Amino acid sequence: MHLDGPLRAATSFPQVILTAASFNPHLWYRIGQVIGTEARGVYNNGQAEGLTFWAPNINVFRDPRWGRGQETPGEDPTMTGKYAAVFVRGVQGYAISGAINSSDLEASACCKHFTAYDLENWKGVTRFAFDAKILLSLGRSPIVGFSFRKSELTNVHAMPKNCLVGQVTEQDLADTYNPPFKSCVEDGGASGIMCSYNRVNGVPTCADHNLLSKTARGDWSFNGYITSDCDAVAIIHDVQGYAKAPEDAVADVLKAGMDVNCGGYIQTHGVSAYQQGKITGEDIDRALRNLFAIRMRLGLFNGNPKYNRYGNIGADQVCKKEHQDLALQAAQDGIVLLKNDAGALPLSKSKVSSVAVIGPNGNNASLLLGNYFGPPCISVTPFQALQGYVKDATFVQGCNAAVCNVSNIGEAVHAASSADYVVLFMGLDQNQEREEVDRLELGLPGMQESLVNKVADAAKKPVILVLLCGGPVDVTFAKNNPKIGAIVWAGYPGQAGGIAIAQVLFGEHNPGGRLPVTWYPKEFTAVPMTDMRMRADPSTGYPGRTYRFYKGKTVYNFGYGLSYSKYSHRFASEGTKPPSMSGIEGLKATASAAGTVSYDVEEMGAEACDRLRFPAVVRVQNHGPMDGRHPVLLFLRWPNATDGRPASQLIGFQSVHLRADEAAHVEFEVSPCKHFSRAAEDGRKVIDQGSHFVKVGDDEFELSFMA
C-alpha cells in the first residue's frame, strides 16, 4: 500500500501466521474490523480509486518452505477456516457469529487462493506453470533418511516414461485443501473468491467448472463474485498452454464460473471471443449480474457515497490509539516461547546492567513487517525497544543480512563477552520467503548458526535467541545447546513487534502463543514441494504432511508453546455430557477394503447429527506465578491412524485470560458428525465405528460410536 495524500501511514498488524498463533478468534475478528475501518478511511480521503479487501491467504500451510506461508493461519484446516470466517465477518460488518445478512455489506472480502496452492518458485517450478498433481515414479529413491516416489513438474506430453499420473485426491481435497474455503464461504459469508494460478489435476483452477460452479456455488451456496488471481487468465494460454488460443482462455474461465479478470486479458480478447462464438451474451450477463449484485449490496447505487453510513469515516479513524493498541496485543499474544531452560526468561529490569543485541534482524524496523504491508504508524526496532529497559545496550549486526553470506563474528563475540546478557535476533527476511520465493533449506541461512554458537560460547550467561521468520526453521542445534537459555519465535510481528518482544523478554507480558505449524528437521527438504499427498506412504518412506499425517521426527510440534505460568486442564464431569448413540439407530454401516466399519454422515442426515451434539467442559487453571492468556486446544484422536485417518485433529480452541491461581470453565460444543468424521478415499465424510477419544492437554475421555 502506497500513501501519497494527507494520510501517510496506517496501522500495521503482524503477519497472519503470528496472529494465528494466539488461537484467539475474537482478536482475529477485531483485526478484520479495524482493517476494514482504516481502509475506508484511506478511501474516503482520496487515496484510493476503489477498495479491495483480501481475506488472509487461507490455503493450508502444507510445506514449510512455502514463501507465502507467513500470510496463512497455519497448517490446520479447522483453524485456518475459523480464521478466515471471523476475519471476513469483521471486514464485511457481520457479527462474529450468528446469522448473516446476505443483502447488506459494509465491505467486500475475498477468500484466496482457491485451491491446492502452496508453491511459488521451487527449483525452477513456478506457481504459474505448476500442475498440482502427483507424478509417481515406479522406483524408490532414498535421500537423506527418506525414500519417496519422485515428484516433479512436467506436462503430460513431456512426462518421464517411468512415471504414472496421480492426482490431488478427492480425499485430500475434502479434508485438507477445500475446508478453509468452505468455512470462509459458509461461516464467514465471504462475497468474493479468488481462484489460484496453478492447475489441479491438469485443469487451471480459474477454468475449473467443478471447483467454481459445482463446489463453490453449488455445494457451498456461494453468493458473490469469483475473480482470478492477477494475470491468471493470461497464463492459461501464454504459460500453461491449456487453452489453444487467447479467446479459448477467455471462454474457459467465463464458462467455468469466473466473473472478473484481475488483469487486462479479457478486455483484450473478450470481443474476439464473442465474435468467434466462443462466449455468449449470457456468459457475460451472468458475470455482470454477480458483480453488480455485490455493488448493490455495498450500497454503491444509493446516491453520493459520501453520504452513506461509511462515508464519514475520516483520517481520524486511521492510526487511532485503540487500533495501535490492538496491533500491540496481536504481537504480544502471538509470540511463542519455544525454550526456557532454568528460568532464563523473563529478565529482571533491575538486574540487567548491560545487554548486547546481536543479529541482522535486531535493528531494522522494516524486517518486522513481512510480506505485504503499508507505511506503519510507528517504527520501533527491537534494539530501540530494549534500550528502554537497559541503559547500557549495544548493537552489533553480526551478519550483513539474514542471508548471512558476509559476517563479522569477531565483533559479535567481543560484544557478547563484554555484556551482562545477550539477545540474538536471527531468522529470515523477505529475500528468503515471500510471494514468488520459496526456500530450498530449513536451517538458518548462511553463517547464522555459526554466529549463534560462537556468541553463545563467549557469553557470560545463557543467551536468548529470538527468531523473526514466517516459515519454520530447524533450530535443533539451539534447542540442544545448554548455552542457549531461551528461544522465542516472533514471526513478523508488525509495527509494534519490537515493543512486544521487549515486553515478553522482561516479563511485562506472559507469552501464550502456540505454534500454528509443525517445525520439521532439515531432512524434510528431501520431500519435493511438488508432491501434493497429505498422507504418509509407509511402503516408500514418504513421511506425509502436517501434524495430522506426518510420520517423521519434528523440531517442534503443532500447538507447542511455553509460558511463564503453569497451566492444567481436565474435563469437568459436571457439564460434559456425551450423547446417546440412539440418534443413529438403524443406520447402515459399510466396511472399507481395509476392514474399517463406518457410517456415511450424509446418510445420517441433519436431524440425527443435531441430536448427537454435546457439550465438553474443560476446567483450566493458571497455577501462576503470572497472569496470562492461554489457548485451550481440543483434539480428537483415534486408537490408530489406519485407513487414511489422521493421527489426531484439532476440533476446537478458545483463548482465556486467567489471573495467577485463577481457574475457569471453558465449554466446547462437540458435533460428532463434524468433528469425529474423516474423509474417505472418495471424499465422503464418514464416522468410523468404535472408539474416539476427545483430548485436552493430558486428559481425555472415550466415546464409543456404535449404531
Side-chain angles (χ1 to χ4, degrees), residues 18 331-332 334-341 344-347 361 422-427 444 463-469 473 475 478-479 484-493 497 500-506 509-513 515 519 556 560-564:
L18 185 74
Q332 291 170 333
I335 289 173
V336 181
L337 181 62
L338 296 173
K339 177 181 179 181
N340 194 23
D341 287 357
L345 291 176
L347 301 174
N361 290 344
V422 175
V423 183
L424 287 145
F425 285 88
M426 314 301 285
L444 289 174
V463 303
I464 298 156
L465 174 61
V466 179
L467 299 170
L468 294 176
C469 52
V473 288
V475 288
K479 181 180 178 181
I484 299 174
I487 304 174
V488 174
W489 176 67
Y492 294 116
I501 292 168
Q503 290 177 337
V504 167
L505 296 184
F506 279 90
H509 182 82
N510 191 355
L515 290 180
W519 283 33
Y556 291 109
Y560 179 82
L562 304 174
S563 170
Y564 298 150

Side-chain angles (χ1 to χ4, degrees), residues 269-484:
H269 302 288
V271 172
S272 56
Y274 179 79
Q275 291 171 339
Q276 293 174 25
K278 293 181 176 180
I279 59 173
T280 67
E282 176 52 32
D283 295 326
I284 299 169
D285 289 344
R286 189 255 323 142
L288 290 174
R289 281 194 296 269
N290 289 330
L291 292 169
F292 275 85
I294 295 299
R295 299 186 71 184
M296 290 175 183
R297 291 169 61 190
L298 288 166
L300 298 183
F301 300 103
N302 297 346
N304 190 329
K306 291 183 178 180
Y307 301 113
N308 70 22
R309 55 181 167 159
Y310 315 115
N312 61 356
I313 297 177
D316 60 338
Q317 297 296 305
V318 180
C319 284
K320 283 178 61 176
K321 183 180 184 302
E322 176 187 352
H323 298 175
Q324 295 192 56
D325 289 346
L326 188 66
L328 175 59
Q329 180 192 343
Q332 291 170 333
D333 290 355
I335 289 173
V336 181
L337 181 62
L338 296 173
K339 177 181 179 181
N340 194 23
D341 287 357
L345 291 176
L347 301 174
S348 169
K349 192 173 181 179
S350 62
K351 295 180 181 179
V352 178
S353 59
S354 62
V355 63
V357 176
I358 297 171
N361 290 344
N363 199 27
N364 185 336
S366 68
L367 298 179
L368 303 174
L369 305 179
N371 192 14
Y372 287 120
F373 59 87
C377 307
I378 61 171
S379 184
V380 180
T381 72
F383 174 61
Q384 290 169 337
L386 288 170
Q387 284 180 303
Y389 291 81
V390 185
K391 183 174 293 186
D392 184 3
T394 58
F395 172 72
V396 175
Q397 190 170 352
C399 290
N400 56 326
V403 67
C404 202
N405 54 8
V406 177
S407 69
N408 191 340
I409 294 178
E411 183 183 4
V413 166
H414 176 73
S417 63
S418 304
D420 193 15
Y421 285 85
V422 175
V423 183
L424 287 145
F425 285 88
M426 314 301 285
L428 309 174
D429 63 24
Q430 301 311 294
N431 289 311
Q432 282 81 46
E433 52 174 357
R434 67 175 191 276
E435 185 170 1
E436 298 184 349
V437 175
D438 293 319
R439 287 189 286 159
L440 295 178
E441 304 295 336
L442 289 178
L444 289 174
M447 292 178 276
Q448 281 196 44
E449 184 172 328
S450 177
L451 173 63
V452 171
N453 283 329
K454 290 182 179 179
V455 165
D457 286 340
K460 298 175 183 177
K461 298 180 177 67
V463 303
I464 298 156
L465 174 61
V466 179
L467 299 170
L468 294 176
C469 52
V473 288
D474 184 349
V475 288
T476 302
F477 80 95
K479 181 180 178 181
N480 296 334
N481 187 344
K483 293 187 176 181
I484 299 174

